[in-house]
Every structure is written in structure tokens, then in C-alpha cells.
């Protein structure tokens, strides 16, 4: 059947199960937009292309599906770069469709022409320039396959205008086969049985779980294995929710702002079972002294993650969920006999660490940001999807909102992109219309993509934006306080908009709390309306995030409250 | 840790942008390329790229894993040790006074090189062989004055079983 390129694209998108696209139109994609309007695919018009990518990212994380965004050539395409790099750093499956100038103009410095394939090469899993309409269908199919398989990631397809508007006979592409791309899902059995033996023998084991567990759908397998083998669990920022936050075996988050118990147990453990992590510098602190008493097992689907930052005893390349399930089968009940007695001293030591240095803050005076997060947790009964911006707000959300479920914490972990939270929350709300979605923000980062408030209002998305307003770029201020003699260079936000009026100007609800006693009633009011609400919590200006491991120090050397 | 020379060869899709992906990976990750040589194989859809780099063993391991991760890299092998043959081609334009010509020709002859261009005051010499052999010849030619030099860097193949 003869079709236009735009029709072929829509046919393929439908085939891949796409029902929502986040985008912003323009000249080079006008044919695609014309065709899109004839389909039942829902289009969400963002206010900036960066917002489209973050929204697709939030949608992907909340739904488990591939997020899709569509933008025009030139500035439309370059505006997506930060979003793409964020998704790449966090291994989130998204497909980015960019328009391109017609093929005969490529390379001519045409109007709104950039080499977006060249620009995004290092921050995509793979990317394509479709030079012929004959390649379009297969390329789209490959792109979705690459985005969701193996270690997931963003894939970009650059589509010249004449490819979208041209006509060709559509032939459904066959199954994707790439001889150069064959992710290893099945772990090496012998290697894994060695891990099972170590689990049985270890006296002081810790499981360290990351985003790979969530991406592979391995939370259930992890929880089962940890509970059966009575191994305490810590997670990276990206792994929060992979293990129930309320479980007694949960140690809290590891790393620079990890809990005392998590960092101390990692320093003292004799076996560290690292699953779906990549040993980021914010996790390890000084790498030579990271888990220095432990044999480290590292399970990951991406071989490049293994031995990149930390030397490991037993590497296992494979899918996290499959590996955890197999481990659970290999460790038999018979071999776990008498486990409770064997674990008792270790668990007692951990209980001590938890008791002596719990996550804490000093109350009194102004509103404490940690208190706001605790109240958000209480009033949403821990069931909300929490998106965050980046900085102190993100760390407090990670520390004080106890995540009991997978895929409920949506944060820019690897790249640390300010301005991520609001558009990501919009994407998550579209994926999960019945969920409460909260964006935990700072007064600094909320202003980086504040324009997306218009998107939330236009589509009636009842996203709640919790601004922890301390009048500072707080995380940098905290570093300046601790390591630069309190010289607050460029971190004081001397002027901020009136967030209540700003919300109202956008057509959202604006609320403010200035006293601790206001926090709960204001949150209740915000959660009661099914409209977008932005709440300005005027919080303690110079509150810090603790514990804190200074950059480059060993994990066990923490600054405490 | 000491860096050592390491040569790797890879089969890649013969498509625009593939060399850029490979080279971009080196620059983006802070790895150094000493030489890079690429051309299509007997299968026109596939090219072979050979890269020489200086790195310590863990870095080499990481480079190789990262390269294998590229969707367009079909196969990657290490080209080190006796299990493979390695050759480099060099073209050197040497300044040669008439009275020196005989000496230079003797050097070239000894190295089984070729003269591919000659003039009143220059010779363009072609030499090939193991990188060290090529370097020896170039060292011998250096005193006469090398005006221009082009080297391919190593290429190579894994030996078949005997």
C-alpha cells in the first residue's frame, strides 16, 4: 500500500503501542503533525522542547513503556539535548523524533538546520538519520527495540521533511535482527552458583540495589531473596522503591547523603551484592576504601558498568530480575537452616547504627523542609508518585519520603538536571491519571521549566508542586558553607517571583505556608483539589542535608546533624 | 599503572557516521587514539577499522567493552601478540642530494622498500612491515631530511589455525 512517510511513521508508532506523544510543532515536522491529528494518538503540547523529553521520561518511568517525543529541526532539536542526556544517564527508554530540513538541503546550513545526530551521538543509546523513506519503517522498529531492550536508553530518529511528506509503498518490517547487538539476559549459571554459595556463607552481607532492578522489573525478586536470606538492603538514589522502604531490612539510601546505617554497613560488610548499579562517585566516596572489607559481587546487564569504577570479585553480566530469581532458586531452604542465629549479631549491629544515628533534623522556628516531606508522605499515605527537581529538595525527598513501591520515585539521578521535576511529573500524571503526583522542588530549580505549568493547566493535570523555598540555590550554598568559608557566591536568589500569584497567572492554584502549623492544612487543601497546585513553603533558609560524605572522602566519614 | 601500546581491530557497519561514533567514543571518554585506519572489507556492507592506542590494561578493557556496546560495531578483536599479523605502510618524502642518492637507495633496498616517486632533490619512499621495522627505516632516513611523512598506523589480521 502506498503511504506518505508521515503515515508510515504513525502506522509504526501504533504498532509499537504508542498512545501518547509529548511534543512541539514546527516547519520540518508539519507533515507529521498533520498526520498525527488524524490518529487517536494523544499529543501533549509542551511549552519548551526540553519539557517534552522530560515528560516522555517521566511517562516512561511511571508506565514502564517507551516514552515518545516529537520536535522540529534546529532549535527544537537542540532544546531536547539536556532531556536526552538526562534519560541516557538514568537508562530510561525514550524515542525522540526530530524533524530535519529536506535531504537536498542537509549540509547547506539551511534555515533551522543542525546536525542533531552528530550532537546527540554521545548522549543517546543510538541514533538515526533517515535518508530514504524506504528505511523509515524499519528504523522506527529498530529504535523502539533498542530503546527498551538490554540496558534501556534514549534513541533519536532524525526525519527530513521530504521523507515525511514523500510517498512510498509501505512494507511491514520483519523482526529486528542486529548482528552487532545482542544483550546478555541470561547470567552465567556457574558464576551465579558461586554467588549463591557466598550468600550462604556470608556473615555480614549487604545488598546494594540500583535502577537496574527497577528497569528490569526485579523488585519482587529482590524483596523475596533479601527476606529469605535475611540480607539488609541499601539502594542508590535510582534504586529507591526497589525494596520496600518500610521493611526492617531496609538500610536507607547509600552514598553522599545516604543514611548512617547504610554507609556504615557497607563499610563493614563481608559481602556486597551489588545489583543494577554502576558505582557512581556520589555512591562510593573514595573508591579505594569503598566496601573494603567485602567481597563484591556485581550483577548488571551492561558489561561496561562492571569494573568501570570499582574492582569486583565476581562479575555477573545478565538481567537483574532473571539473575535475582535464579539466585533465589539456587539458595535452598536446607542451606539456610539456622540462618536467624547466624544473622543475629550483624542485624543487631545494624539496629545499633540505625538507633544511634537515624535520619533527623532539629525542629523549631521556621518550617523545616524535611518536615514538609514527612507530611507529604503522611497525607499521601506513601502512595504518591514523587518527582523531584535537583539539589537539596531531591535529597530530602529521597531521605524522608519512604518509598514502598517500585517506579514511584522519579528523579534525575545521573545527570542531576534542574528543571526535570515538573515536566517529569506531568508525564507521570499522564501515565497514571489516578495517582497523586507530587513534584518536590526548590525555588531555584522550579524556575528552570516553570513554563510547563501551562501544560499542566491546559490538560487538567492535577500535579502538586511543593516548593521548598529557602531563597538559595541550597545545595551549592551548603557546599559553600561547609567547604568555602561561607562565601555565598551567586547562590542567594535575591529576587524570586511571587509563586502564589505566578500559579494563579497560569490558571493553577497557588498556596503558601510560612509557619510549621500551616504545613498540614495547606497540603490537605492542595491534595483535595483535582487541579494543578503550586505551594510555596517558606522554609528554614540555611538548612543542610545530612548526613553528608564530603566529596572524595570514604563513605564511613560522614558529617552528621 | 604503566600504559602500553594496544592495537584493536573491529568490523563495523559500512554506514555514514560510524567512524565518528568510534572516534567520538575515544574522545568523549578521554581515551587517546594513536592511529586509526579504516576501509571496506570484501563485504561492501562491512568495514574494518583498526585503532592503536596507549593505555593501561583496565582502560583497555573499558575501551573494548565500550566499543562492543556501539550498535554499529559487529565484532572486535585485540591485535596483540604472536597470534596475529600486523603491518604498517609509510610513505616518506626524503630530501636527497644527488651524491646521497646511492646511499638512500641502499637503505630502501635493504628494507625491501620501494621508490614510488623521484626528482632531482627528493625521493618518495614506500616501506611496509611491522611498526618497529618501519620505524627503523624512518630513523635511517631521518638524517637526510624527511620533508613529508604519511603512515597508516598498524592494520592486521588474526592468524588462522594451522
Amino acid at each position: 500500500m502506498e503511504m506518505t512517510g508521515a503515515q508510515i511513521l504513525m502506522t509504526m508508532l501504533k504498532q509499537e503501542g504508542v498512545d501518547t506523544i509529548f511534543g512541539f510543532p514546527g516547519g520540518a515536522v508539519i507533515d507529521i503533525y498533520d498526520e498525527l491529528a488524524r490518529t487517536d494518538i494523544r499529543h501533549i503540547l509542551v511549552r519548551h522542547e526540553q519539557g517534552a523529553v522530560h515528560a516522555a521520561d517521566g511517562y516512561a518511568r511511571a508506565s514502564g513503556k517507551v516514552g515518545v517525543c516529537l520536535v522540529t529541526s534546529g532549535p527544537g532539536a537542540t532544546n531536547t539535548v539536556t532531556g536526552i542526556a538526562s534519560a541516557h544517564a538514568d537508562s530510561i527508554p525514550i524515542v525522540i523524533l526530530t524533524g530535519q530540513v529536506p535531504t537536498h538541503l542537509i549540509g547547506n546550513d539551511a534555515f533551522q538546520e543542525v546536525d542533531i545526530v552528530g550532537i546527540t551521538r554521545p548522549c543517546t543509546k543510538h541514533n538515526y538519520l533517515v535518508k530514504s523513506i524506504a528505511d523509515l519503517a524499519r528504523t522506527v522498529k529498530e529504535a523502539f527495540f533498542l530503546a527498551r531492550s538490554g540496558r534501556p536508553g534514549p534513541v533519536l530518529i532524525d526525519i527530513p521533511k521530504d521523507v515525511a511528506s514523500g510517498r512510498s509503498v509501505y512494507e511491514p518490517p520483519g523482526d529486528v535482527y542486529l548482528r552487532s547487538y545482542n544483550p546478555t539476559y541470561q547470567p552465567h549459571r556457574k558464576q551465579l552458583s558461586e554467588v549463591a554459595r557466598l550468600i550462604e556463607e556470608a556473615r555480614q552481607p549487604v545488598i546494594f540495589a540500583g535502577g537496574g532492578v527497577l528497569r528490569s522489573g526485579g523488585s519482587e525478586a529482590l524483596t523475596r531473596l533479601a527476606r529469605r536470606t535475611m540480607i539488609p538492603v541499601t539502594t542508590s538514589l535510582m534504586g529507591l522503591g526497589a525494596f520496600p522502604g518500610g521493611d526492617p531490612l531496609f538500610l536507607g539510601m547509600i552514598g553522599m547523603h545516604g543514611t548512617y546505617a547504610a554507609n556504615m554497613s557497607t563499610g563493614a560488610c563481608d559481602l556486597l551484592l551489588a545489583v543494577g548499579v554502576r558505582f557512581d562517585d556520589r555512591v562510593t566516596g573514595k573508591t579505594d576504601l569503598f566496601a573494603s572489607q567485602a567481597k563484591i559481587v556485581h550483577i548488571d546487564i551492561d558489561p561496561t558498568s562492571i569494573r568501570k569504577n570499582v574492582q569486583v570479585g565476581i562479575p555477573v553480566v545478565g538481567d537483574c530480575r532473571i539473575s535475582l530469581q535464579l539466585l533465589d532458586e539456587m539458595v535452598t531452604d536446607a542451606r539456610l537452616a539456622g540462618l536467624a542465629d547466624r544473622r543475629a549479631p550483624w542485624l543487631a549491629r545494624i539496629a545499633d547504627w540505625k538507633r544511634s544515628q537515624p535520619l533527623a533534623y532539629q525542629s523549631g522556628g521556621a518550617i523545616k523542609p524535611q518536615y514538609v516531606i514527612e507530611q507529604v508522605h503522611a497525607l499521601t499515605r506513601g502512595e504518591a508518585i514523587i518527582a523531584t527537581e535537583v539539589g537539596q529538595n531531591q535529597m530530602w525527598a529521597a531521605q524522608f519520603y519512604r518509598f514502598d513501591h517500585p517506579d514511584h520515585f522519579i528523579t534525575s539521578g545521573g545527570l542531576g538536571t534542574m528543571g526535570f521535576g515538573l515536566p517529569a511529573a506531568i508525564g507521570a500524571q499522564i501515565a497514571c491519571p489516578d495517582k497523586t503526583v507530587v513534584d518536590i522542588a526548590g525555588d531555584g530549580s522550579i524556575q528552570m521549566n516553570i513554563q510547563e505549568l501551562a501544560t499542566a493547566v491546559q490538560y487538567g493535570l492535577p500535579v502538586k508542586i511543593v516548593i521548598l523555598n529557602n531563597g538559595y540555590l541550597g545545595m551549592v550554598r551548603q557546599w559553600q558553607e561547609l567547604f568555602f568559608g561561607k562565601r555565598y557566591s551567586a547562590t542567594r536568589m535575591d529576587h524570586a517571583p511571587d509563586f502564589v500569584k505566578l500559579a494563579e497567572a497560569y490558571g493553577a492554584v497557588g498556596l503558601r505556608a510560612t509557619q510549621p502549623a500551616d504545613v498540614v492544612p495547606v497540603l490537605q487543601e492542595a491534595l483535595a483539589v483535582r487541579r494543578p497546585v503550586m505551594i510555596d513553603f517558606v522554609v528554614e533558609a540555611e538548612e543542610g542535608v545530612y548526613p553528608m560524605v564530603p566529596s572524595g572522602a570514604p563513605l564511613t566519614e560522614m558529617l552528621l546533624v | 599503572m604503566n600504559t602500553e601500546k594496544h592495537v584493536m581491530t573491529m568490523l563495523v557497519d559500512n554506514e555514514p557516521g560510524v567512524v565518528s561514533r568510534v572516534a567520538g567514543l575515544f574522545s568523549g571518554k578521554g581515551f587517546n587514539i594513536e592511529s586509526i585506519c579504516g576501509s571496506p572489507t570484501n563485504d561492501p556492507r562491512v568495514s574494518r577499522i583498526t585503532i592503536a592506542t596507549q593505555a593501561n590494561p583496565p582502560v583497555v578493557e573499558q575501551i573494548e567493552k565500550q566499543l562492543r556496546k556501539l550498535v554499529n560495531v559487529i565484532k572486535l578483536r585485540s591485535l596483540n601478540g604472536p597470534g596475529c599479523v600486523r603491518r604498517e605502510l609509510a610513505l616518506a618524502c626524503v630530501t636527497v642530494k644527488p651524491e646521497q642518492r646511492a646511499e638512500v637507495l641502499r637503505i630502501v633496498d635493504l628494507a625491501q622498500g620501494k621508490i614510488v616517486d623521484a626528482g632531482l632533490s627528493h625521493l618518495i619512499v614506500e616501506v611496509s612491515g611491522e611498526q618497529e621495522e618501519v620505524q627503523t627505516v624512518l630513523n635511517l632516513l631521518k638524517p637526510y631530511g624527511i620533508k613529508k611523512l604519511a603512515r597508516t598506523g598498524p592494520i592486521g589480521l588474526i592468524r588462522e589455525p594451522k
Side-chain angles (χ1 to χ4, degrees), chain A residues 121 126-127 131 146 151 179-181 302-304 306-308, chain B residues 16-17 20-21 43 46 61-62 65-66 69 71-74:
Chain A
R121 220 166 257 149
H126 195 55
N127 61 15
K131 286 210 282 207
L146 285 173
R151 177 177 178 178
R179 61 173 162 168
S180 56
Y181 176 81
D302 180 359
T304 68
I306 290 170
R307 291 210 192 93
K308 186 171 65 178
Chain B
S20 158
R21 281 182 208 279
D43 178 351
V46 175
E61 182 186 330
Q62 186 59 214
K65 283 181 183 173
Q66 293 283 356
K69 194 168 149 183
V71 171
N72 294 120
V73 172
I74 300 163

Side-chain angles (χ1 to χ4, degrees), chain A residues 29 49 99 129 194 200 288 304 311 449 451 455 473 531:
Chain A
V29 284
E49 288 90 348
L129 167 63
E194 177 67 13
E200 290 153 9
D288 304 347
T304 68
Q311 285 305 311
N449 272 319
Q451 77 286 344
T455 310
L473 300 171
R531 286 175 60 195

